[in-house]
Amino acid sequence: LQIDGDRALQVTAAIEIAKGLGYTVPQVSLEHLNLAHSYWLLEWPPLYSAMLAPLLVATNFDITLSSIILETAGLFFYMLAIWRLASHLRFPIIIQMMLVGFKATEAYEGMLYSFATDFHAAACLLWALLFFLLFLETNNRKYVFSAALCMVGAFLFRYAYLSAVFIFPLLLIYNGWKTKNQKWSNGALFLFLTLVTVLLVYMGYNKIRTGSFTYLGEWQKGFYPWKLKYLLPLFWQAITHVTFISVQAEELMGVRFRYISLFIQWSSHLLLILLAYEWWRRNKTQGFLFTDKRDQKFFLISGIISLSILGLLAALTMRIDIY
């Protein structure tokens, strides 16, 4: 396990929590290397560090073992969410097994080198989607409560999920109004109040303590539309290892890495645009309303969530002067 980069920052904050110093990271200046002061960590939400801290205490501060326990648990719930969603959508058992097996290929590289919260945040989002679908079918309040908790968890693991937080209540408000379903309207109100409360408390505390809601407040802002070309090939990245493919194409077929990576990047952008158009075309005919079919509800909800996250990434890419 590589404990460096962003993971190291979150692990350091977990150590400070375990020592009773709060969600902070020690910092020294070049003028006074022997003096350290703590600063409140804005770069990442606190849930990963807060969950890691008790594991550190239990393992006598064995950082690697504690991280592996927490991240293996996150991976397990991520895979289980995929299995349960596929089962809910009535996919054949062989397709369920293929989906889980396919996503399992991410585990090795993801756990070793990727951000520590990848699987945890994605698991929370997928469980929230499953609970939301169950609520639409049963109107059982326990499912809307579970969906709210999972959406809060997704945001408190990764800031990127902020754009998806209010998708569920907005969809419920719209569909409840169109279909005159009071239970959906009540569920939307509960979801909205829960999510707003958590966001106001956490981000408000950040603002009071540091002067910024998130770490993005510290970066220079402008308008840089040309930076969109640096977006990752998100379509292909979701189903394969693009760097590996590019390297092998150069080694085996003599195609220069630069050319194959550019093709992968731009074709990914094109495919995402085509998928977004097809999603819009299909759902427009239904008025963006929930139907009785599970797969159509899933198609509508997951599409909006995906578009909201892509939109946030594109907006930040054009707005913030970092790569």
Side-chain angles (χ1 to χ4, degrees):
L1 187 70
Q2 304 292 317
I3 301 180
D4 55 9
D6 293 313
R7 179 185 275 123
L9 200 62
Q10 293 171 283
V11 169
T12 302
I15 294 171
E16 298 297 279
I17 293 174
K19 292 179 179 178
L21 300 175
Y23 188 55
T24 60
V25 172
Q27 189 178 57
V28 298
S29 66
L30 291 176
E31 293 80 12
H32 304 285
L33 292 175
N34 59 328
L35 296 176
H37 70 276
S38 297
Y39 77 92
W40 188 256
L41 185 60
L42 276 178
E43 285 86 341
W44 288 93
L47 191 52
Y48 178 86
S49 298
M51 295 178 69
L52 184 62
L55 287 172
L56 290 171
V57 174
T59 61
N60 196 26
F61 286 85
D62 188 327
I63 295 173
T64 301
L65 176 60
S66 300
S67 300
I68 288 175
I69 291 172
L70 181 56
E71 293 176 38
T72 301
L75 175 64
F76 171 79
F77 284 107
Y78 170 68
M79 306 294 269
L80 184 61
I82 294 171
W83 178 270
R84 289 293 305 277
L85 261 176
S87 176
H88 180 75
L89 296 172
R90 298 190 178 98
F91 287 1
I93 190 70
I94 188 65
I95 300 298
Q96 292 178 235
M97 295 173 67
M98 289 172 64
L99 282 172
V100 172
F102 177 70
K103 298 304 289 185
T105 61
E106 296 180 47
Y108 178 75
E109 185 190 14
M111 291 187 70
L112 280 177
Y113 303 113
S114 191
F115 300 120
T117 54
D118 275 357
F119 294 122
H120 300 80
C124 285
L125 181 67
L126 292 177
W127 280 106
L129 178 55
L130 175 61
F131 289 134
F132 188 69
L133 290 170
L134 289 170
F135 171 70
L136 294 179
E137 293 188 8
T138 65
N139 291 318
N140 192 320
R141 292 181 180 178
K142 71 177 182 180
Y143 291 126
V144 77
F145 178 75
S146 299
L149 287 181
C150 289
M151 285 306 298
V152 166
F155 167 73
L156 291 179
F157 275 123
R158 296 199 71 136
Y159 286 126
Y161 289 91
L162 175 61
S163 62
V165 161
F166 294 105
I167 299 300
F168 292 161
L170 288 174
L171 276 171
L172 273 183
I173 290 171
Y174 177 70
N175 280 267
W177 169 62
K178 282 286 190 178
T179 61
K180 295 180 174 54
N181 188 325
Q182 189 61 42
K183 290 185 177 179
W184 285 2
S185 299
N186 292 339
L189 180 62
F190 175 82
L191 273 171
F192 183 79
L193 291 176
T194 302
L195 297 171
V196 166
T197 300
V198 171
L199 291 177
L200 286 178
V201 170
Y202 171 64
M203 298 182 74
Y205 184 78
N206 281 351
K207 182 69 174 179
I208 293 170
R209 179 123 188 193
T210 68
S212 299
F213 291 110
T214 71
Y215 75 104
L216 293 175
E218 302 172 2
W219 295 96
Q220 180 179 344
K221 298 177 178 63
F223 184 60
Y224 317 98
W226 59 88
K227 287 175 57 182
L228 285 176
K229 67 181 181 181
Y230 297 113
L231 283 177
L232 289 172
L234 296 174
F235 179 86
W236 299 116
Q237 192 86 345
I239 60 175
T240 189
H241 192 310
V242 295
T243 303
F244 175 80
I245 295 296
S246 300
V247 169
Q248 296 307 311
E250 183 173 52
E251 291 291 326
L252 300 176
M253 296 182 290
V255 181
R256 292 184 62 181
F257 178 91
R258 178 173 176 270
Y259 296 141
I260 192 69
S261 60
L262 281 174
F263 171 77
I264 289 175
Q265 186 176 34
W266 287 105
S267 63
S268 175
H269 297 356
L270 177 61
L271 285 167
L272 286 174
I273 292 171
L274 291 175
L275 286 173
Y277 171 75
E278 180 64 15
W279 173 88
W280 175 82
R281 187 186 66 81
R282 290 189 185 185
N283 285 286
K284 184 184 178 183
T285 61
Q286 299 164 357
F288 295 94
L289 291 170
F290 298 136
T291 68
D292 293 332
K293 295 183 178 180
R294 289 179 175 179
D295 58 339
Q296 290 181 349
K297 286 197 287 278
F298 173 80
F299 188 61
L300 170 61
I301 300 165
S302 60
I304 294 179
I305 291 174
S306 299
L307 288 171
S308 70
I309 295 174
L310 285 172
L312 176 64
L313 293 176
L316 291 177
T317 299
M318 292 188 291
R319 188 80 175 91
I320 308 295
D321 191 20
I322 56 175
Y323 289 97

